[in-house]
């Protein structure tokens, strides 16, 4: 019996290297799938429907909300963004571990709706390293960096709500650590209900035959 995949929510400070970590994990292991968001914004140059995003109209998006077709959604800068339920459930049913990269408030909402989801928080080894990485990008002003650090200060208050924390210092080691955590989490009884049910039914059969 193929075990159903799990839903992993990955969060972390801006500059923690979440995107790089996810790309490396997907490249090394084929049992993961990155959740594709649905959005009402127009595609940017080079973006493909069903690859970077599922592009749709505002009317269709709001219909999907009413039909409970989204795991979570938000309105940002005049456009809707959300996680399609069908895509996530299809991937999990196929045995894939679905990665959902969202911020901390959204992660806690996911945990409420899906208690058996796995929440992982990614952080650099220190706040000083986080500041160095943000400055090292060379793409943001000092004001924007200060805003991101202030946001990180707020986010740090919610880390205890996560199941695990992963320190992204060495990328290869971080990928392996994350994979091991997911692999171990799949064996938790709460995520093996079908297997437990099958074993119980077989045992009941043996017990009846022994009478």
């Amino acid at each position: 019996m193929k075990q159903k995949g799990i839903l992993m929510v990955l969060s972390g400070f801006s500059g923690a290297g979440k995107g790089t970590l996810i790309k490396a994990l997907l490249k090394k292991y084929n049992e993961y799938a990155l959740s594709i968001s649905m959005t009402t914004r127009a595609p940017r140059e080079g973006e493909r429907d069903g690859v970077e995003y599922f592009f749709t109209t505002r009317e269709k998006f709001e219909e999907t909300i009413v039909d409970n077709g989204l795991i979570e959604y938000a309105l940002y800068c005049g456009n809707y963004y959300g996680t399609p339920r069908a895509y996530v459930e299809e991937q999990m049913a196929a045995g894939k571990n679905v990665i959902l990269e969202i911020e901390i408030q959204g992660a806690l909402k996911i945990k409420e709706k899906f208690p058996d989801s796995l929440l992982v928080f990614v952080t650099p080894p220190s706040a000083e390293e986080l500041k160095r990485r943000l400055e090292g990008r060379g793409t943001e002003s000092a004001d924007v960096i200060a805003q991101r650090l202030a946001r990180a200060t707020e986010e740090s208050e919610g880390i205890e709500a996560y199941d695990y924390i992963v320190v992204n210092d060495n990328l290869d080691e971080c990928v392996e650590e994350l994979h091991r955590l997911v692999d171990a989490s799949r064996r938790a009884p709460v995520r093996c209900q079908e297997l437990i049910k099958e074993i119980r039914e077989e045992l009941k059969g043996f017990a009846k035959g022994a009478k």
Side-chain angles (χ1 to χ4, degrees), residues 14 131 134-135 137-152:
S14 176
K131 183 171 181 286
L134 288 170
E135 291 172 343
R137 286 176 174 177
T139 57
E140 294 160 342
S141 67
D143 285 345
V144 171
I145 291 171
Q147 288 170 16
R148 293 195 184 280
L149 290 172
R151 174 67 177 158

Side-chain angles (χ1 to χ4, degrees), residues 39 41-49 52-53 55 76-77 79 81:
T39 184
R41 78 159 172 77
R44 292 173 185 152
E45 188 176 346
E47 288 183 334
R48 296 150 293 173
D49 184 48
E52 283 78 17
Y53 285 96
F55 295 100
Y76 180 72
C77 294
N79 286 303
Y81 293 82

Side-chain angles (χ1 to χ4, degrees), residues 19-35:
T20 304
L21 176 59
I22 290 170
K23 284 178 184 175
L25 186 69
L26 291 170
K27 186 176 180 180
K28 186 162 187 178
Y29 297 101
N30 63 8
E31 62 255 49
Y32 295 92
L34 181 60
S35 174

Side-chain angles (χ1 to χ4, degrees), residues 37 102 118 120 127 194:
S37 295
I102 51 177
L118 174 67
V120 179
E194 289 181 26

Side-chain angles (χ1 to χ4, degrees), residues 124-174:
S126 67
E128 182 60 38
E129 173 63 13
L130 178 65
K131 183 171 181 286
R132 189 191 69 77
R133 289 183 188 180
L134 288 170
E135 291 172 343
R137 286 176 174 177
T139 57
E140 294 160 342
S141 67
D143 285 345
V144 171
I145 291 171
Q147 288 170 16
R148 293 195 184 280
L149 290 172
R151 174 67 177 158
T153 304
E154 295 172 7
E155 289 174 334
S156 70
E157 296 299 325
I159 296 175
E160 287 87 350
Y162 284 72
D163 298 304
Y164 296 105
I165 184 169
V166 172
V167 177
N168 188 8
D169 191 6
N170 178 289
L171 180 61
D172 291 337
E173 290 176 5
C174 192

